[in-house]
Amino acid sequence: MLEYVSMALSLGAFAWGWSNHRARRNVEHRLDTMRSSHFRLAEEARREIATLQQQVKDLKLELRRQTGGLKFEPTMTVGEAYEIHPHAQDVFTSFHLGGCSSCAVSPDETIESVAINHGVDLNKLLTTLNTLLDAEKGSTVLQQLQRQPNVSIQF
């Protein structure tokens, strides 16, 4: 008799363990589905935020153009300067701001902070950048930019 009771308890424990295993697999499947949905939604949100940030930048630039206030300012970021004029990067490079590892600049830094951090005359930099916006003077400025190495080797 004890054998039958022990067998019945064993079968009950086996059935209970099997039931718990199936429930755990169902919960894991639901959790994986939720994680997948979460990561997909997070990626969609990141893409949407990037799109909206680009639209805000474009609208700021268009507003400056329409109000006649399109000029390089100290509070403007380097990235915004690059967007205003295609040759702004050439001006920064001629002042040894960006273009190499020793004089790299972040697109999120302001023109003022970049000039201060690299010991560049802010007024001269802004004057050169703003001259780019003048159609007549812009091409001559590009020709006058002196690209000198920031390292000199003497033998």
Side-chain angles (χ1 to χ4, degrees), residues 13-134:
F14 177 76
W16 184 57
W18 182 71
S19 172
N20 282 339
H21 175 71
R22 284 185 50 142
R24 182 187 59 83
R25 281 191 358 189
N26 283 340
V27 168
E28 283 179 350
H29 176 71
R30 288 191 348 228
L31 182 61
D32 286 343
T33 303
M34 290 181 77
R35 283 183 184 145
S36 175
S37 295
H38 169 75
F39 288 126
R40 182 182 47 79
L41 290 172
E43 183 59 32
E44 286 176 13
R46 277 190 284 276
R47 280 195 301 265
E48 188 65 27
I49 288 170
T51 301
L52 290 172
Q53 287 174 335
Q54 185 59 45
Q55 288 175 350
V56 166
K57 286 180 184 179
D58 293 343
L59 287 172
K60 281 182 180 178
L61 183 61
E62 186 59 32
L63 181 63
R64 284 183 175 157
R65 281 192 180 126
Q66 288 182 2
T67 58
L70 184 61
K71 67 178 188 171
F72 295 94
E73 300 170 353
T75 57
M76 182 181 293
T77 66
V78 173
E80 290 173 337
Y82 290 169
E83 290 176 9
I84 286 180
H85 198 281
H87 293 294
Q89 190 168 7
D90 294 332
V91 172
F92 279 95
T93 303
S94 72
F95 281 86
H96 295 289
L97 301 173
C100 67
S101 61
S102 65
C103 56
V105 295
S106 169
D108 297 327
E109 288 184 86
T110 63
I111 295 174
E112 181 178 29
S113 68
V114 166
I116 291 170
N117 292 339
H118 289 73
V120 172
D121 182 13
L122 177 62
N123 290 329
K124 186 175 180 182
L125 176 62
L126 288 173
T127 301
T128 307
L129 285 169
N130 284 319
T131 306
L132 285 176
L133 299 175
D134 186 355

